[in-house]
Amino acid sequence: MGQTYLSADTRERIQDLIKQRPDMTQAKLAGMLGISESTLSRFLSGETSKFAESHIIQTAKIFNVSTDFLLGETNIPDRKNYDIEELGLSAGAAKALYTGQVNTQIVSQLLENPHFAMLTNMLAKYQDETFITGMMAMNQNIDYLRSFILGQKSPNPDDKEAAHAVADELQALKVPATAVDTTAIQNLFNQVVRDIRKNAESHAAEHKAATKETLDQFYKALKKGQDDPNIKSITPEQTTEAILAMVPEGTFSEEKLQSLESALTAIFTEAKDSAHEP
């Protein structure tokens, strides 16, 4: 959940955002917007109401907030829409999201998971040529030490055996450059998967509880005003009335609500008649 601000107009929003950024000033913001500092100052002081729509959009991007927040339409600054270029997605990744090739709910859970952020950093480090080069250099140093130790001449057999033992220990320290930190990466990925599964189980429990609550409400609505609790005494009209009573007010227009009422009554009437046919 993003931070919630008090209600304010565009001028107050921009002034607050400038104050919250130690590196930002009116002069700097004006320069980033391509306008003079005096033009921005006149707008913020209320001397003029002129502030182009393009400047609103650009200001929102600079402070990473939504345009609705700048315009005072919402008190939550979080942006909901980003350009593909801003997100840094490849054309293939964007296409996969837009065309539904990947489960966007799972992608959202991955991106929101704090362990996943760490995982991406580890993978980036794994791909970093500098890091791999460092591992290769370390391996080269180990090879040099092994050669030096094994190349020492000694008439004592025990010394020769000890040298081979040390050389074997050094060999064990070598790390293939293509397998750096793979265990840690796998463990962290498994943790992310466990988090997603745990989240799914939590939502399933909430859904089950909500379903039970809905059924309880429906059952109470069916029995409302009934002296006889026998389900056979409930008419199709009463069943329809119970269902419609659970529809939030304003969900449908009056015309659509009447059409829905007629359709449901007809369905339950047909079901009741079918149940009594020999």
Side-chain angles (χ1 to χ4, degrees):
M1 178 66 70
Q3 180 183 357
T4 301
Y5 287 67
L6 296 176
S7 298
D9 60 20
T10 303
R11 295 181 177 84
E12 293 172 317
R13 289 278 195 246
I14 295 176
Q15 289 171 341
D16 287 342
L17 290 170
I18 291 175
K19 292 177 183 177
Q20 291 173 14
R21 284 268 297 268
D23 63 326
M24 185 62 68
T25 62
Q26 284 192 24
K28 184 175 181 179
L29 177 60
M32 296 174 74
L33 294 175
I35 59 178
S36 66
E37 183 181 355
S38 60
T39 298
L40 178 60
S41 179
R42 286 198 301 272
F43 171 73
L44 295 179
S45 64
E47 293 181 24
T48 178
S49 60
K50 293 182 179 180
F51 201 63
E53 181 181 345
S54 60
H55 293 153
I56 291 288
I57 296 173
Q58 196 172 352
T59 301
K61 290 183 177 181
I62 291 171
F63 289 104
N64 196 30
V65 297
S66 68
T67 53
D68 282 347
F69 175 73
L70 277 186
L71 296 172
E73 298 294 330
T74 177
N75 294 328
I76 300 176
D78 297 352
R79 292 174 62 186
K80 294 183 178 180
N81 300 311
Y82 291 85
D83 295 332
I84 294 299
E85 292 80 3
E86 291 182 273
L87 296 176
L89 294 177
S90 66
K95 182 179 180 181
L97 289 170
Y98 278 125
T99 58
Q101 295 178 31
V102 296
N103 188 313
T104 53
Q105 291 184 344
I106 296 298
V107 172
S108 295
Q109 291 183 54
L110 285 172
L111 295 176
E112 293 170 2
N113 188 294
H115 293 113
F116 188 72
M118 187 183 300
L119 177 63
T120 59
N121 291 332
M122 291 178 66
L123 288 170
K125 188 176 182 181
Y126 175 66
Q127 289 184 318
D128 187 1
E129 291 183 359
T130 303
F131 186 75
I132 294 177
T133 301
M135 291 296 99
M136 294 175 64
M138 185 186 76
N139 291 340
Q140 289 176 353
N141 289 332
I142 290 175
D143 288 337
Y144 172 79
L145 288 173
R146 290 183 71 254
S147 297
F148 177 79
I149 291 172
L150 293 175
Q152 297 302 306
K153 304 297 183 181
S154 174
N156 190 335
D158 292 338
D159 290 344
K160 188 174 183 180
E161 184 178 347
H164 279 281
V166 173
D168 290 341
E169 290 179 3
L170 287 173
Q171 180 66 23
L173 294 176
K174 292 180 65 175
V175 179
T178 56
V180 177
D181 267 349
T182 53
T183 300
I185 290 173
Q186 290 170 358
N187 289 339
L188 194 56
F189 180 77
N190 289 336
Q191 179 61 54
V192 173
V193 173
R194 287 194 295 269
D195 289 345
I196 291 178
R197 181 174 181 178
K198 184 178 180 180
N199 185 54
E201 291 173 348
S202 175
H203 282 300
E206 292 175 2
H207 179 71
K208 183 177 180 180
T211 302
K212 183 179 183 305
E213 182 181 354
T214 300
L215 291 175
D216 288 343
Q217 291 177 0
F218 181 56
Y219 182 65
K220 289 177 182 178
L222 286 175
K223 293 184 65 177
K224 186 176 180 181
Q226 294 286 330
D227 295 327
D228 184 357
N230 192 330
I231 192 68
K232 293 182 180 179
S233 66
I234 299 174
T235 66
E237 288 78 12
Q238 290 170 327
T239 304
T240 299
E241 182 182 355
I243 293 175
L244 295 181
M246 298 172 62
V247 177
E249 187 175 352
T251 303
F252 301 106
S253 65
E254 188 64 30
E255 182 180 354
K256 289 185 177 179
L257 202 59
Q258 290 178 356
S259 298
L260 179 60
E261 181 179 4
S262 299
L264 287 174
T265 301
I267 290 172
F268 292 130
T269 299
E270 182 179 351
K272 182 180 179 181
D273 292 342
S274 298
H276 288 83
E277 290 180 357

